Amino acid sequence: MLKRINVQQLTLGMYLKDFCGSWMEHPFWRSSFVITDPKDLASIRASSITEVWIDCAQGLDLAPDVAPVAVADTATQVEVELASTSSEKRDTEAVSSNVEFARAAKIVTKSREAITAMFGEVRMGKAIDTVGVQRLVAEISDSMSRNPGALISIARLKTADNYTYMHSVAVCGLMVALARQLGLDPQQTQSAGMAGLLHDIGKALIPISVLNKPGKLTDAEFSLVKSHPEKGYRILLAGSGADAVALDVVLHHHEKTDGSGYPKRLKGEDISLFAKMGAVCDVYDAITSDRPYKAGWCPAESLRRMTEWTKGHFEPRVFHAFVKTIGIYPIGTLVRLSCGRLGVVIEQGSHSLLRPQVKTFFSTRSNERILPTIIDLEHTEDAYKIVNIKDPEKWKFNNLSEIWSGLPGPPA
């Protein structure tokens, strides 16, 4: 028997089947578990969630004289009701990046917490239940619908310490955006997002000391790291709900089109479209991120390097679609305009990859900061075209991310 009850009716020993509300509103990454910790009970009551579903067959029931809000005979009835409520609340109307940045930052923070918890449970031998993962992917996908660049850019503001977890969030967003660019249907796009979120789950079984080692890995350590696709594949097989796309991407996102990848050394058409997508998204986020052993490259420089690697590493069609997804000058790229100003890209152009929106803030002629001004290069003369890309490190602009995002710092 499944009962919908008020959170104030919850007691220790009850089996929480699901929350009646957005995944963003409750404090846990998974929705189904027995409540055994008073702190968890207090967290639920302190959240904005007012009602939950409990499964009386797997935990304690309400007292006989206490009436539930509603009753359901099957889990399917609950899922239909929750899906209906969720679809009514979903917000996918397009907005500008500066509007979406703050919302995306909250989603990224919540997602990082969820991925951290998921990795922790895997380390303790618990199987993955992908229901929570699906809801996380839905939130990320909705943000991508509102603005494709905002969440991807915010997720790039990771630190070397939380790279493993934030990397999963970033690749999820990139996979969703790339799937849409390639014209995949909504179900395939959802599957691509889930695959991106789970692609590195095998790293949960790799020692943190190895993953975050600041120096060069030994041959034994490198072999251990290279085992994460197969470890991840086995983790998903032991859990429930992971589809064929997730299993494929987890196992094959390090394959290369020339057969030099791992773990199966697959070539060309032997690698699925989704695995090829995973390879591009994984590499892009990896090389744009600060790692314990190296600083990340700027987005535009990363695309330039990846272009050089396309032959033999990436499927050209997939890589070209990826470039269209994030732009030739991705959000956060420091550029110099022909007028002599420096600025950061804050939005892609709607008609041209060469003419994004730029927030200028520095004059190279006077060599000083100027009042930030947003220039839409699609609606300006050539006097404002991009001349070249600049390295933020050489210009000592330590707060560049604050300039383009409007946020005080990384969301982690």
Side-chain angles (χ1 to χ4, degrees), residues 26-94:
H26 68 75
F28 306 98
W29 87 268
R30 63 166 67 233
S31 300
S32 301
F33 57 93
V34 177
I35 303 175
T36 58
D37 190 335
K39 292 181 180 178
D40 289 344
L41 184 60
S43 294
I44 295 170
R45 290 176 175 171
S47 74
S48 61
I49 298 291
T50 59
E51 296 178 346
V52 297
W53 284 93
I54 61 170
D55 187 343
C56 303
Q58 300 189 63
L60 295 181
D61 196 350
L62 286 172
D65 59 338
V66 179
V69 176
V71 176
D73 293 324
T74 67
T76 301
Q77 290 177 255
V78 175
E79 290 172 5
V80 170
E81 179 180 326
L82 292 174
S84 175
T85 302
S86 176
S87 63
E88 293 173 1
K89 293 182 177 180
R90 293 183 71 173
D91 178 7
T92 57
E93 185 176 350

